[in-house]
Amino acid sequence: ITCAAWPIRTKKRFTGPFSAELATPMLLVSSTFDPVCPLTAARAVAARFEGARVLVYDTPGHTASLNPTTCAFAAIKAYMTNGTLPAKGTICPADVIPLVGSPAS
């Protein structure tokens, strides 16, 4: 963020296209209530990449991997290990809700 105030500008800037055909479809992981990278943005990115999938992590907060969930981690592990994408529309419940605790409590 501090770099934004620097008085230098790039000579060239990438203006697109912001899409591609990938050998392995992209997996995007997004929390339902992320104030920095909202779920709508993840869905918009996925729409630009053929075969991309959005895994929804039903929890508030930014950076889904900072709030562990067995469902999301299993899906991410399957993707990173062998490229397996979760089923379309997969929503992983939170094991623990930040600042609250277990959803059951």
Side-chain angles (χ1 to χ4, degrees), residues 24-29 52-55 72 75-76 79-80 84-86:
T24 301
M26 185 185 304
L27 173 64
L28 295 107
V29 181
R53 189 79 40 92
V54 176
L55 173 66
I76 294 167
Y79 176 76
M80 296 300 248
T84 303
L85 291 168

Side-chain angles (χ1 to χ4, degrees), residues 13-85:
R13 183 172 82 106
F14 183 73
T15 57
F18 294 96
S19 61
E21 290 184 30
L22 304 173
T24 301
M26 185 185 304
L27 173 64
L28 295 107
V29 181
S30 182
S31 300
T32 49
F33 304 107
D34 187 332
V36 181
C37 300
L39 181 55
T40 54
R43 289 184 172 139
V45 169
R48 293 176 174 261
F49 294 89
E50 188 175 336
R53 189 79 40 92
V54 176
L55 173 66
V56 178
Y57 181 32
D58 192 17
T59 187
H62 181 59
T63 312
S65 62
L66 292 179
N67 187 8
T69 171
T70 52
C71 170
F73 279 6
I76 294 167
K77 180 180 178 181
Y79 176 76
M80 296 300 248
T81 303
N82 55 30
T84 303
L85 291 168

Side-chain angles (χ1 to χ4, degrees), residues 7-15:
I8 56 174
R9 296 289 174 244
T10 183
K11 291 179 182 176
K12 294 183 180 181
R13 183 172 82 106
F14 183 73
T15 57

